[in-house]
């Protein structure tokens, strides 16, 4: 096992688990913006369970290809448990590393146990932390603006950091807010030689967290927050049966995830993990197709940043049309079968 | 036994006027405050845990549910709802010192509040994130400050015994069950149940029971923690208004409308 790379001090760190390449590359995009604004370099630390983790090796190569100067793989057997890792234990491990290796910025995707651990580690080391960041804007005068949506996505909050500000900051970025940058992984994959670093693990005081079981949420469709397309339904679909009959085939034809409004979830038509909006999930797909959704503010806040919003609703006054890029004014029970037929014809030709 | 519930009074964003979203600091005056929706799930879970404690052999009558909040004095009124539905007491950390507090400063204040006002507490419940900033970190930071274990994204809780709580939580693509030994903090997402509505007795009790204002000095805090850099003060920036989209009427000729939709989606490189 190697020692921790000394040239990681005072740089911008990306931290990611080996099984989240997408989150790692999104964090790298954000980290490069910070590094360019503050005149620093970007290094990455991948957390893995074993020194010969093939996922870690692949991610190491792709991060180097996408602009990280150095990539260190840090391993500990406790990390093999995935979500079952105690955030307090991982937090203590990261805190001791932060205290000894003095990163200037730490950037990670805000999901899973890593984000929880970083919140604890920031507190333990008196390091500032900003979470739910969706944009970074370099400013001319040696400063960088970090942006966070607020008030249920109704507005934005800007935090302006001077490039010369010496205090360290942990930045948790919202998944899907930053796009991975293209890289050149193949060219580098052969050049990988760095030995993994054994992450020191706290020995005492963190025995409170006991994982019992895990039940996968079974679905053939993509996870809602990771899907490029989402087909979502509201009260206008009239019943659980009609929701399923209309939405499910369309979602499958488009390779989309299924979303639902709060009213539909509260009525028991759909499970809560499909709820989009306040007290549900925030999504940002390429296509958001809203069927029979009136567009209550509580729903809009969860999908307004989707790239193309299509709404089908028979009420031309529905609020959903205020944020839809394409609105189809008509009865969903007529328009959706027509859409299915047209998609089938398209696929056949 | 004492159960502590952290509640953040948040701005009711459905009742904000557009001029209150003008560029500048976050609005505080003339806004409507409400309990953070996720914190309501935490409060309801705490009330249920008090009721079910009898199953572990303890006396539910000995359990206090204490609410701890931090905010402006104008948020005091909305906290009465917590008492009306069954919380025994509510404390509002309220001090000019907290006005500019960032997430870590809020966590330090809450931790000091727990140490001073509920020193025996071994279980804290809170929402997984607030409606306004949605950072989802203050509970975790407070747990760290108090050396409590932490479990996030919880959707139900049950006693295993008086020292262990079984929590069901939403993981990325799975539902996970975790046992946590106290002292611990559990942060809740949406649960299968809503906060109960207050009955007449509860409303009368809330009218008689004041929400106790607690200053920084009351919990032993005097000034910003020395040597700790805080976040830059954030500024509100209204979002650019959305360009109006196209409306395709589909009442007369749905087929034509659908073809027009597909053509536009192709042009947008969606299909």
């Amino acid at each position: 096992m190697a020692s921790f790379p000394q040239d990681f001090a005072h740089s911008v760190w990306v931290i990611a688990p080996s099984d989240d390449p997408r989150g790692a590359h999104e964090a790298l995009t954000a980290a490069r913006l910070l590094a360019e604004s503050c005149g620093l370099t970007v290094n990455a630390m991948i957390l893995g369970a074993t020194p010969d983790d093939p996922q870690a090796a692949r991610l190491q190569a792709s991060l180097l290809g996408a602009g990280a100067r150095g990539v260190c793989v840090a391993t500990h057997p406790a990390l093999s448990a995935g979500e079952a890792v105690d955030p307090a234990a991982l937090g203590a491990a990261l805190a001791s590393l932060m205290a000894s290796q003095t990163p200037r910025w730490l950037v990670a995707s805000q999901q899973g146990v890593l984000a929880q651990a970083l919140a604890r580690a920031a507190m333990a080391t008196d390091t500032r932390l900003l979470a739910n960041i969706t944009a970074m804007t370099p400013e001319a005068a040696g400063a960088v603006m970090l942006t966070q949506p607020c008030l249920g996505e109704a507005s934005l909050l800007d935090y302006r950091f001077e490039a010369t500000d010496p205090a360290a900051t942990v930045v948790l970025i919202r998944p899907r807010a930053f796009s991975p940058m293209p890289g050149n992984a193949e060219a580098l994959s052969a050049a990988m030689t760095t030995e993994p670093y054994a992450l020191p693990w706290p020995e005492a005081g963190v025995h409170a967290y006991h994982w019992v079981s895990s039940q996968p949420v079974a679905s053939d469709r993509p996870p809602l927050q990771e899907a490029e397309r989402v087909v979502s339904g509201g009260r206008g679909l009239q019943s659980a049966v009609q929701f399923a009959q209309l939405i499910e085939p369309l979602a499958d034809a488009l390779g989309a995830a299924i979303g639902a409004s709060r009213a539909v979830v509260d009525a028991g038509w759909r499970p809560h993990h499909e709820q989009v909006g306040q007290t549900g999930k925030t999504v940002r797909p390429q296509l958001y197709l809203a069927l029979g959704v009136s567009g209550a503010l509580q729903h809009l806040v969860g999908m307004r940043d989707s790239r193309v919003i299509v709404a089908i609703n028979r009420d031309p006054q529905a609020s959903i049309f205020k944020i839809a890029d394409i609105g189809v004014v008509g009865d969903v029970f007529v328009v959706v079968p027509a859409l299915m037929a047209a998609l089938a014809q398209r696929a056949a030709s | 036994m004492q159960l502590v519930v952290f509640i953040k009074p948040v701005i009711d964003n459905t009742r904000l006027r557009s001029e209150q979203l003008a560029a500048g600091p976050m609005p505080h005056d003339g806004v409507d405050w409400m309990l953070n929706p996720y914190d309501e799930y935490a409060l309801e879970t705490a009330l249920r845990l008090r009721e079910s404690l009898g199953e572990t052999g303890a006396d539910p009558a000995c359990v206090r549910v204490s609410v701890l909040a931090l905010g402006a004095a104008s948020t005091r009124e909305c906290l009465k709802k917590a008492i009306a539905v069954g919380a025994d007491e509510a404390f509002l950390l309220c001090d000019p010192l907290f006005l500019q507090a960032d997430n870590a400063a809020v966590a330090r204040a809450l931790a000091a509040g727990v140490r001073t006002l509920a020193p025996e507490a071994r279980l804290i419940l809170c929402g997984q994130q607030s409606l306004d900033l949605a950072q989802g970190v203050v509970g975790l930071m407070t747990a760290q400050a108090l050396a409590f274990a932490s479990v996030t994204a919880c959707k139900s809780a049950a006693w295993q015994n008086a020292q262990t709580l079984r929590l069901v939580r939403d993981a990325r693509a799975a539902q996970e069950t975790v046992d946590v030994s106290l002292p611990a903090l559990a942060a809740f997402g949406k649960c299968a149940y809503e906060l109960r509505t207050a009955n007449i007795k509860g409303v009368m009790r809330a009218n008689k029971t004041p929400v106790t204002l607690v200053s920084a000095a009351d919990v032993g805090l005097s000034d910003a923690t020395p040597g700790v850099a805080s976040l830059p003060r954030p500024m509100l920036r209204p979002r650019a208004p959305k360009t109006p989209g196209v409306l395709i009427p589909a009442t007369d000729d749905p087929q034509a409308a659908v073809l027009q939709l597909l053509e536009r989606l192709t042009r947008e490189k969606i299909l």
Side-chain angles (χ1 to χ4, degrees), chain A residues 216-255:
Chain A
V217 177
S219 174
D220 299 334
R221 302 190 182 91
L224 183 54
Q225 283 173 297
E226 293 162 31
E228 295 295 354
R229 298 170 182 179
V230 173
V231 179
S232 158
R235 273 279 211 216
L237 295 164
Q238 294 180 4
S239 72
V241 173
Q242 284 162 297
F243 187 111
Q245 283 173 350
L246 212 62
I247 299 270
E248 288 178 3
L250 181 58
D252 293 339
L254 290 168

Short mmCIF file of all heavy atoms in Angstrom, two decimals, chain A residues 216-255:
data_model
loop_
_atom_site.label_atom_id
_atom_site.label_comp_id
_atom_site.label_asym_id
_atom_site.label_seq_id
_atom_site.Cartn_x
_atom_site.Cartn_y
_atom_site.Cartn_z
N PRO A 216 -34.34 -4.31 -2.73
CA PRO A 216 -34.29 -3.48 -3.93
C PRO A 216 -35.68 -3.07 -4.37
O PRO A 216 -36.64 -3.83 -4.25
CB PRO A 216 -33.65 -4.38 -4.99
CG PRO A 216 -33.24 -5.62 -4.30
CD PRO A 216 -33.91 -5.68 -2.96
N VAL A 217 -35.80 -1.82 -4.83
CA VAL A 217 -37.06 -1.38 -5.41
C VAL A 217 -37.07 -1.93 -6.83
O VAL A 217 -36.35 -1.46 -7.70
CB VAL A 217 -37.16 0.16 -5.40
CG1 VAL A 217 -38.43 0.62 -6.08
CG2 VAL A 217 -37.07 0.69 -3.98
N ALA A 218 -37.88 -2.97 -7.06
CA ALA A 218 -37.84 -3.68 -8.34
C ALA A 218 -38.48 -2.83 -9.43
O ALA A 218 -39.58 -2.33 -9.27
CB ALA A 218 -38.57 -5.01 -8.20
N SER A 219 -37.76 -2.63 -10.52
CA SER A 219 -38.33 -1.93 -11.66
C SER A 219 -37.49 -2.22 -12.89
O SER A 219 -36.27 -2.30 -12.82
CB SER A 219 -38.37 -0.43 -11.39
OG SER A 219 -38.80 0.23 -12.56
N ASP A 220 -38.16 -2.39 -14.03
CA ASP A 220 -37.44 -2.56 -15.29
C ASP A 220 -37.12 -1.20 -15.90
O ASP A 220 -36.43 -1.12 -16.89
CB ASP A 220 -38.31 -3.35 -16.28
CG ASP A 220 -38.63 -4.73 -15.74
OD1 ASP A 220 -37.84 -5.23 -14.92
OD2 ASP A 220 -39.68 -5.29 -16.13
N ARG A 221 -37.66 -0.16 -15.30
CA ARG A 221 -37.46 1.18 -15.86
C ARG A 221 -36.27 1.86 -15.20
O ARG A 221 -35.86 1.47 -14.11
CB ARG A 221 -38.73 2.01 -15.65
CG ARG A 221 -39.95 1.36 -16.28
CD ARG A 221 -41.15 2.26 -16.29
NE ARG A 221 -42.26 1.51 -16.86
CZ ARG A 221 -43.11 0.79 -16.15
NH1 ARG A 221 -43.00 0.74 -14.84
NH2 ARG A 221 -44.07 0.11 -16.73
N PRO A 222 -35.71 2.89 -15.85
CA PRO A 222 -34.56 3.58 -15.24
C PRO A 222 -34.97 4.28 -13.94
O PRO A 222 -36.13 4.69 -13.82
CB PRO A 222 -34.14 4.59 -16.30
CG PRO A 222 -35.30 4.73 -17.23
CD PRO A 222 -36.07 3.45 -17.16
N PRO A 223 -34.04 4.44 -12.98
CA PRO A 223 -34.37 5.18 -11.75
C PRO A 223 -34.80 6.61 -12.10
O PRO A 223 -34.21 7.24 -12.98
CB PRO A 223 -33.06 5.18 -10.97
CG PRO A 223 -32.23 4.10 -11.56
CD PRO A 223 -32.65 3.96 -12.98
N LEU A 224 -35.81 7.10 -11.41
CA LEU A 224 -36.44 8.38 -11.74
C LEU A 224 -35.43 9.52 -11.89
O LEU A 224 -35.47 10.28 -12.85
CB LEU A 224 -37.48 8.69 -10.66
CG LEU A 224 -38.32 9.96 -10.80
CD1 LEU A 224 -39.02 10.01 -12.15
CD2 LEU A 224 -39.34 10.03 -9.68
N GLN A 225 -34.51 9.64 -10.93
CA GLN A 225 -33.62 10.80 -10.96
C GLN A 225 -32.47 10.65 -11.94
O GLN A 225 -31.72 11.58 -12.17
CB GLN A 225 -33.08 11.10 -9.56
CG GLN A 225 -34.13 11.79 -8.71
CD GLN A 225 -33.70 11.95 -7.28
OE1 GLN A 225 -33.48 10.96 -6.60
NE2 GLN A 225 -33.56 13.17 -6.83
N GLU A 226 -32.31 9.47 -12.49
CA GLU A 226 -31.20 9.27 -13.44
C GLU A 226 -31.70 9.18 -14.88
O GLU A 226 -30.92 9.13 -15.81
CB GLU A 226 -30.43 8.00 -13.07
CG GLU A 226 -29.71 8.15 -11.74
CD GLU A 226 -29.30 6.83 -11.11
OE1 GLU A 226 -29.03 5.89 -11.87
OE2 GLU A 226 -29.28 6.76 -9.87
N ALA A 227 -33.04 9.13 -15.04
CA ALA A 227 -33.60 8.89 -16.37
C ALA A 227 -33.44 10.12 -17.27
O ALA A 227 -33.53 11.25 -16.81
CB ALA A 227 -35.07 8.53 -16.24
N GLU A 228 -33.19 9.89 -18.56
CA GLU A 228 -33.13 10.99 -19.53
C GLU A 228 -34.54 11.41 -19.95
O GLU A 228 -34.73 12.47 -20.50
CB GLU A 228 -32.33 10.55 -20.77
CG GLU A 228 -30.85 10.26 -20.48
CD GLU A 228 -30.06 11.49 -20.04
OE1 GLU A 228 -30.62 12.60 -20.05
OE2 GLU A 228 -28.87 11.32 -19.67
N ARG A 229 -35.50 10.50 -19.76
CA ARG A 229 -36.89 10.83 -20.08
C ARG A 229 -37.79 10.41 -18.92
O ARG A 229 -37.57 9.36 -18.34
CB ARG A 229 -37.33 10.07 -21.34
CG ARG A 229 -36.52 10.43 -22.59
CD ARG A 229 -36.85 9.48 -23.71
NE ARG A 229 -36.07 9.78 -24.90
CZ ARG A 229 -36.15 9.08 -26.02
NH1 ARG A 229 -36.97 8.04 -26.11
NH2 ARG A 229 -35.41 9.42 -27.06
N VAL A 230 -38.76 11.26 -18.62
CA VAL A 230 -39.71 10.95 -17.55
C VAL A 230 -41.12 11.17 -18.09
O VAL A 230 -41.40 12.20 -18.70
CB VAL A 230 -39.48 11.85 -16.31
CG1 VAL A 230 -40.58 11.63 -15.27
CG2 VAL A 230 -38.10 11.57 -15.70
N VAL A 231 -41.98 10.18 -17.91
CA VAL A 231 -43.40 10.34 -18.21
C VAL A 231 -44.13 10.38 -16.87
O VAL A 231 -44.00 9.48 -16.05
CB VAL A 231 -43.95 9.17 -19.06
CG1 VAL A 231 -45.45 9.37 -19.31
CG2 VAL A 231 -43.20 9.09 -20.39
N SER A 232 -44.87 11.46 -16.67
CA SER A 232 -45.44 11.70 -15.36
C SER A 232 -46.94 11.95 -15.47
O SER A 232 -47.41 12.50 -16.47
CB SER A 232 -44.69 12.90 -14.77
OG SER A 232 -45.43 13.51 -13.79
N GLY A 233 -47.67 11.52 -14.46
CA GLY A 233 -49.12 11.68 -14.53
C GLY A 233 -49.69 12.33 -13.29
O GLY A 233 -49.12 12.26 -12.21
N GLY A 234 -50.85 12.96 -13.47
CA GLY A 234 -51.53 13.62 -12.36
C GLY A 234 -52.97 13.15 -12.22
O GLY A 234 -53.36 12.14 -12.80
N ARG A 235 -53.71 13.91 -11.47
CA ARG A 235 -55.10 13.61 -11.17
C ARG A 235 -55.97 13.43 -12.41
O ARG A 235 -56.98 12.74 -12.39
CB ARG A 235 -55.70 14.76 -10.35
CG ARG A 235 -55.49 14.61 -8.89
CD ARG A 235 -56.52 13.66 -8.34
NE ARG A 235 -56.85 14.03 -6.97
CZ ARG A 235 -57.12 13.14 -6.04
NH1 ARG A 235 -57.10 11.86 -6.32
NH2 ARG A 235 -57.42 13.53 -4.83
N GLY A 236 -55.57 14.11 -13.50
CA GLY A 236 -56.35 14.05 -14.73
C GLY A 236 -56.48 12.64 -15.29
O GLY A 236 -57.29 12.39 -16.17
N LEU A 237 -55.69 11.71 -14.77
CA LEU A 237 -55.78 10.33 -15.27
C LEU A 237 -56.89 9.55 -14.56
O LEU A 237 -57.15 8.40 -14.88
CB LEU A 237 -54.43 9.64 -15.10
CG LEU A 237 -53.37 10.30 -15.98
CD1 LEU A 237 -51.96 9.92 -15.58
CD2 LEU A 237 -53.60 9.94 -17.44
N GLN A 238 -57.50 10.18 -13.59
CA GLN A 238 -58.78 9.73 -12.99
C GLN A 238 -58.73 8.53 -12.05
O GLN A 238 -59.52 8.44 -11.13
CB GLN A 238 -59.84 9.51 -14.08
CG GLN A 238 -60.20 10.83 -14.74
CD GLN A 238 -61.25 10.69 -15.83
OE1 GLN A 238 -61.78 9.62 -16.07
NE2 GLN A 238 -61.54 11.78 -16.48
N SER A 239 -57.86 7.54 -12.29
CA SER A 239 -57.82 6.41 -11.35
C SER A 239 -56.46 5.71 -11.47
O SER A 239 -55.73 5.90 -12.44
CB SER A 239 -58.93 5.41 -11.67
OG SER A 239 -58.62 4.71 -12.85
N ALA A 240 -56.17 4.87 -10.47
CA ALA A 240 -54.92 4.12 -10.48
C ALA A 240 -54.84 3.23 -11.71
O ALA A 240 -53.79 3.11 -12.35
CB ALA A 240 -54.80 3.28 -9.20
N VAL A 241 -55.96 2.61 -12.06
CA VAL A 241 -55.97 1.69 -13.20
C VAL A 241 -55.70 2.44 -14.50
O VAL A 241 -54.88 2.04 -15.32
CB VAL A 241 -57.34 0.96 -13.26
CG1 VAL A 241 -57.44 0.12 -14.52
CG2 VAL A 241 -57.52 0.09 -12.01
N GLN A 242 -56.39 3.57 -14.66
CA GLN A 242 -56.19 4.34 -15.89
C GLN A 242 -54.79 4.93 -15.97
O GLN A 242 -54.20 5.01 -17.05
CB GLN A 242 -57.26 5.44 -16.00
CG GLN A 242 -58.60 4.86 -16.41
CD GLN A 242 -59.74 5.81 -16.12
OE1 GLN A 242 -60.01 6.13 -14.96
NE2 GLN A 242 -60.41 6.27 -17.16
N PHE A 243 -54.24 5.32 -14.81
CA PHE A 243 -52.86 5.81 -14.77
C PHE A 243 -51.94 4.73 -15.33
O PHE A 243 -51.13 4.98 -16.23
CB PHE A 243 -52.47 6.15 -13.32
CG PHE A 243 -51.12 6.83 -13.17
CD1 PHE A 243 -51.04 8.17 -12.78
CD2 PHE A 243 -49.94 6.14 -13.42
CE1 PHE A 243 -49.81 8.80 -12.64
CE2 PHE A 243 -48.70 6.77 -13.27
CZ PHE A 243 -48.65 8.09 -12.88
N ALA A 244 -52.08 3.51 -14.80
CA ALA A 244 -51.21 2.41 -15.22
C ALA A 244 -51.41 2.09 -16.70
O ALA A 244 -50.45 1.90 -17.44
CB ALA A 244 -51.49 1.18 -14.36
N GLN A 245 -52.67 2.07 -17.14
CA GLN A 245 -52.95 1.69 -18.53
C GLN A 245 -52.41 2.72 -19.52
O GLN A 245 -52.00 2.37 -20.63
CB GLN A 245 -54.46 1.54 -18.73
CG GLN A 245 -54.98 0.23 -18.17
CD GLN A 245 -56.49 0.15 -18.21
OE1 GLN A 245 -57.17 1.15 -18.47
NE2 GLN A 245 -57.02 -1.04 -17.93
N LEU A 246 -52.43 3.98 -19.14
CA LEU A 246 -52.03 5.03 -20.07
C LEU A 246 -50.53 5.33 -19.99
O LEU A 246 -49.86 5.50 -21.00
CB LEU A 246 -52.84 6.29 -19.77
CG LEU A 246 -53.17 7.18 -20.96
CD1 LEU A 246 -54.03 6.42 -21.96
CD2 LEU A 246 -53.90 8.43 -20.51
N ILE A 247 -50.01 5.42 -18.75
CA ILE A 247 -48.65 5.91 -18.55
C ILE A 247 -47.61 4.80 -18.78
O ILE A 247 -46.57 5.03 -19.40
CB ILE A 247 -48.48 6.47 -17.12
CG1 ILE A 247 -49.44 7.63 -16.90
CG2 ILE A 247 -47.04 6.86 -16.84
CD1 ILE A 247 -48.93 8.98 -17.25
N GLU A 248 -47.88 3.61 -18.26
CA GLU A 248 -46.83 2.58 -18.30
C GLU A 248 -46.41 2.21 -19.73
O GLU A 248 -45.21 2.17 -20.02
CB GLU A 248 -47.27 1.36 -17.48
CG GLU A 248 -47.23 1.66 -15.99
CD GLU A 248 -47.69 0.51 -15.10
OE1 GLU A 248 -48.00 -0.58 -15.65
OE2 GLU A 248 -47.75 0.70 -13.88
N PRO A 249 -47.37 1.95 -20.65
CA PRO A 249 -46.93 1.61 -22.01
C PRO A 249 -46.17 2.76 -22.69
O PRO A 249 -45.20 2.53 -23.40
CB PRO A 249 -48.24 1.32 -22.76
CG PRO A 249 -49.27 1.11 -21.71
CD PRO A 249 -48.83 1.89 -20.52
N LEU A 250 -46.62 3.99 -22.43
CA LEU A 250 -45.94 5.14 -23.05
C LEU A 250 -44.52 5.27 -22.49
O LEU A 250 -43.56 5.51 -23.24
CB LEU A 250 -46.75 6.42 -22.80
CG LEU A 250 -46.18 7.70 -23.41
CD1 LEU A 250 -46.01 7.58 -24.92
CD2 LEU A 250 -47.05 8.91 -23.07
N ALA A 251 -44.38 5.09 -21.17
CA ALA A 251 -43.05 5.16 -20.56
C ALA A 251 -42.14 4.08 -21.16
O ALA A 251 -40.98 4.35 -21.49
CB ALA A 251 -43.15 4.98 -19.05
N ASP A 252 -42.69 2.89 -21.35
CA ASP A 252 -41.87 1.81 -21.90
C ASP A 252 -41.52 2.07 -23.36
O ASP A 252 -40.40 1.80 -23.79
CB ASP A 252 -42.59 0.47 -21.74
CG ASP A 252 -42.70 0.09 -20.26
OD1 ASP A 252 -41.89 0.63 -19.46
OD2 ASP A 252 -43.57 -0.71 -19.89
N ALA A 253 -42.47 2.64 -24.13
CA ALA A 253 -42.18 2.96 -25.53
C ALA A 253 -41.07 4.00 -25.64
O ALA A 253 -40.28 3.98 -26.58
CB ALA A 253 -43.45 3.45 -26.22
N LEU A 254 -40.99 4.90 -24.65
CA LEU A 254 -39.98 5.96 -24.68
C LEU A 254 -38.74 5.61 -23.87
O LEU A 254 -37.80 6.40 -23.80
CB LEU A 254 -40.59 7.27 -24.14
CG LEU A 254 -41.65 7.95 -25.00
CD1 LEU A 254 -42.37 9.04 -24.21
CD2 LEU A 254 -41.01 8.56 -26.25
N GLY A 255 -38.73 4.46 -23.23
CA GLY A 255 -37.62 4.11 -22.35
C GLY A 255 -37.51 5.07 -21.18
O GLY A 255 -36.42 5.42 -20.74
#
